[in-house]
Amino acid sequence: MKAGFLAIAAAVAVGVNAKQNHAARRHAHQAFHLERGLMATGTGSPETCGCTTIYTTITGEGTLYNPPAPATTAPSSSIAISISTSSVAAVSSTSTASTTSTISTPPAPVVTIPTSTKTPEIPVPTPLASTCPTPGVYTIPATTVTITASTTVCGAATTSVPAGEHTYGGVVTVVETATTVVCPYATVSTNSGVVTSVIETTTYVCPSAGTYTIAPSTTSVSTATVLVYPTPATFTPGTYTQTNYVIFCPLTASSAAPAPTTPAAAPVVVSSPAPVVVASSPPAVVVASAPPAKSVSVVSSSTPGQLGSSGNQWAMTYTPYTKSGECKSASSVMSDIAVIKAAGFSVVRVYSTDCSGLTNIGAACEASGLRMIVGVFISSTGLGEAAEQVSDIISWGKFSLVDLIVIGNEAVFNGYCSASALASFITDAKSKFAAAGYSGQCTTTEPLNTWQANSGALCGAVDVVGCNIHPFFNADVEASGAGPFVKSQLDIVDGLCPGKTGINLETGWPSAGKCNGKACPGPEAQAVALKSIAESVGGKSVMFSYVDDPWKPAGEFGCEQHWGAVHVF
């Protein structure tokens, strides 16, 4: 990318937190802007919990409560207390009732007391659950509802997980000081064997500044699967139509489903040996459980210069950091890598060895059957720290998982070392890796203009020419032209070092921020750009990145936090 990892001061005190320990090795675009004096200071807005009004249907006969009159010797007088009902999340009709009683009490102002009354069930556009008891074709009919007040109901979310115990869901909030937050959250309740998704609220005390996950759920699975769980979904006043859905249950890779007889949005369908529950929720239908793996043919890295796949997907970048920049747990990394696998990628690119990255990411890749591109990050702290990472990789030693080792990420571009010093460091590291049993390829990665200026010094040290190619940073490239642009740049890279092919080690498009000339970010633009890149050079490109990075500064175009792309695939 036209940037390096965020460089932090070399002096790090013993005992500092994980965020401080790995900060010097993080990857961000901001160094690209900083190098040119373009970087805007400041950080993005922290996540907030938010407040949502929760509407609840109260059933049963209404009961009027008349408190006993207080004892008094004062002269009595008569006042009227009007008791009126409040309507609960009225959809198309409400019911109210009033009653008046006269009691003896000291003079007082008229008080209106709200209470609840029996109302019909609220037909808001909440997800509908349908059970497919046997294989076959099921049509879920369309429904139309109108709501007149903002309403929170249970939506649906999914996450891919390997076998084991996992924590998921909940509400993530970031606080800057000790505080108390009140949040709505989605959960399930069981009554007489019937499981129902419900919205509840909770009060949580955050004892200090930090990131908190409120009311998460925990489950244990024996095989890799896709968890479907409820999340809060808020609907504003309006009319909503849930269209017909035709579901083929179960869907297998070897049998084609018959054509739907009614128009339908394409559902995400995955198979499970257990009875399948289809959750109907706008805008799509989800059938649990684990998705069929996409077929990606990977060309063996044992052939010199032949990295990549024969399809339009190959690799994705991954950093083991939370939204606040702390180190993720091993279980979180395991879940993340399973998601990358389910998205159709066969290789994960890792930038450094911090946050127990080799151990946790390596174990996750091994469990999911993925390959790795391992990184040695060179920062402003110099080659000394990078040498420690070389030792870390050798100590880890799982070279059977590794397709490529990338020594330096835009180190020359950022001025962290000269091209000749980098070449010497790469040559030395390669000899150490070979002595430890690694027989694969090594390279470095730089922007194209840096390679063009320093190919004489670098070509002899690398086995393949690694380049970071980001079309967004070219102001003349629109999202729809991202693929042809990347291909044209990669064609140039192929000719830089005689006898050595090029590989695109970082590319993508942001989903939010400001326009850079014709290059405008946004969710739709990101989807268009990534599709274009995948179709043009997806088999030789590493997609950046797994998810957004809220811990990064926003940058000059306000886009540095918004390159997360796994959802697009």
Side-chain angles (χ1 to χ4, degrees):
M1 171 170 279
K2 297 202 173 163
F5 276 76
L6 179 63
I8 305 299
V12 180
V14 174
V16 294
N17 63 27
K19 179 178 179 181
Q20 293 170 316
N21 283 336
H22 69 245
R25 302 182 187 177
R26 293 181 185 161
H27 177 80
H29 295 95
Q30 56 261 42
F32 165 68
H33 304 299
L34 185 62
E35 184 72 15
R36 292 162 172 72
L38 300 175
M39 179 73 166
T41 59
T43 59
S45 300
E47 295 178 59
T48 57
C49 183
C51 297
T52 305
T53 302
I54 306 302
Y55 294 87
T56 305
T57 301
I58 306 299
T59 60
E61 295 298 329
T63 301
L64 180 64
Y65 173 63
N66 291 311
T72 179
T73 57
S76 64
S77 62
S78 297
I79 66 167
I81 296 180
S82 177
I83 301 174
S84 62
T85 62
S86 60
S87 60
V88 182
V91 180
S92 56
S93 66
T94 60
S95 63
T96 61
S98 64
T99 205
T100 302
S101 62
T102 302
I103 64 174
S104 181
T105 185
V110 175
V111 179
T112 300
I113 305 174
T115 187
S116 299
T117 188
K118 182 178 181 180
T119 62
E121 183 178 353
I122 307 168
V124 296
T126 181
L128 307 174
S130 299
T131 300
C132 304
T134 60
V137 179
Y138 296 83
T139 299
I140 300 175
T143 57
T144 299
V145 293
T146 300
I147 62 174
T148 59
S150 293
T151 306
T152 298
V153 297
C154 287
T158 63
T159 185
S160 300
V161 297
E165 185 173 293
H166 304 279
T167 299
Y168 60 93
V171 179
V172 178
T173 184
V174 179
V175 298
E176 297 180 349
T177 185
T179 188
T180 299
V181 295
V182 179
C183 288
Y185 68 98
T187 186
V188 294
S189 64
T190 303
N191 185 15
S192 300
V194 178
V195 179
T196 306
S197 298
V198 296
I199 295 290
E200 296 183 357
T201 56
T202 186
T203 300
Y204 190 86
V205 178
C206 303
S208 60
T211 301
Y212 296 86
T213 300
I214 301 171
S217 301
T218 301
T219 189
S220 181
V221 295
S222 58
T223 60
T225 187
V226 175
L227 297 177
V228 181
Y229 56 94
T231 57
T234 300
F235 291 88
T236 56
T239 300
Y240 296 83
T241 299
Q242 295 170 289
T243 59
N244 285 347
Y245 292 101
V246 178
I247 306 300
F248 304 94
C249 179
L251 178 68
T252 62
S254 59
S255 59
T261 56
T262 58
V268 179
V269 181
V270 291
S271 61
S272 170
V276 182
V277 177
V278 182
S280 173
S281 173
V285 177
V286 178
V287 184
S289 198
K294 298 181 181 179
S295 176
V296 180
S297 299
V298 181
V299 179
S300 174
S301 62
S302 60
T303 304
Q306 297 299 309
L307 289 166
S309 78
S310 60
N312 60 6
Q313 277 183 248
W314 174 44
M316 173 165 276
T317 67
Y318 179 77
T319 52
Y321 310 135
T322 65
K323 292 182 178 180
S324 61
E326 305 296 331
C327 294
K328 285 189 174 183
S329 65
S331 61
S332 294
V333 171
M334 184 73 72
S335 297
D336 291 346
I337 298 302
V339 172
I340 294 175
K341 167 72 171 181
F345 293 95
S346 57
V347 177
V348 174
R349 182 188 172 194
V350 183
Y351 290 96
S352 183
T353 62
D354 63 334
C355 281
S356 301
L358 293 176
T359 300
N360 294 343
I361 301 173
C365 285
E366 196 168 20
S368 293
L370 298 185
R371 308 286 298 167
M372 297 178 68
I373 297 175
V374 173
V376 175
F377 181 64
I378 300 171
S379 70
S380 59
T381 58
L383 297 176
E385 183 188 4
E388 293 177 7
Q389 296 175 59
V390 172
S391 298
D392 290 341
I393 294 172
I394 292 173
S395 297
W396 174 62
K398 293 197 173 183
F399 296 122
S400 61
L401 295 173
V402 180
D403 278 348
L404 179 68
I405 299 178
V406 181
I407 304 167
N409 188 82
E410 300 178 353
V412 175
F413 172 79
N414 286 305
Y416 298 150
C417 63
S418 66
S420 58
L422 177 59
S424 296
F425 185 79
I426 293 172
T427 301
D428 181 67
K430 285 175 62 178
S431 65
K432 292 179 179 178
F433 289 141
Y438 177 63
S439 58
Q441 301 177 89
C442 293
T443 190
T444 189
T445 186
E446 295 283 348
L448 178 56
N449 62 330
T450 302
W451 263 110
Q452 290 172 318
N454 298 279
S455 59
L458 295 174
C459 282
V462 300
D463 300 314
V464 62
V465 185
C467 191
N468 291 349
I469 306 174
H470 279 278
F472 178 78
F473 292 110
N474 188 308
D476 293 326
V477 178
E478 297 181 356
S480 59
F485 173 82
V486 174
K487 184 180 185 305
S488 69
Q489 299 288 285
L490 192 55
D491 288 342
I492 297 173
V493 176
D494 277 335
L496 289 175
C497 300
K500 297 176 181 179
T501 60
I503 198 76
N504 183 13
L505 288 175
E506 193 182 283
T507 191
W509 196 275
S511 61
K514 302 174 184 177
C515 291
N516 174 27
K518 295 180 180 179
C520 289
E524 292 183 5
Q526 183 187 50
V528 169
L530 293 182
K531 182 176 185 292
S532 178
I533 295 171
E535 290 176 347
S536 297
V537 288
K540 295 187 68 177
S541 296
V542 181
M543 298 296 179
F544 181 86
S545 62
Y546 171 58
V547 292
D548 286 349
D549 296 311
W551 53 269
K552 292 181 181 178
E556 190 238 345
F557 295 111
C559 67
E560 301 303 326
Q561 302 169 346
H562 306 290
W563 293 75
V566 74
H567 63 282
V568 176
F569 298 93

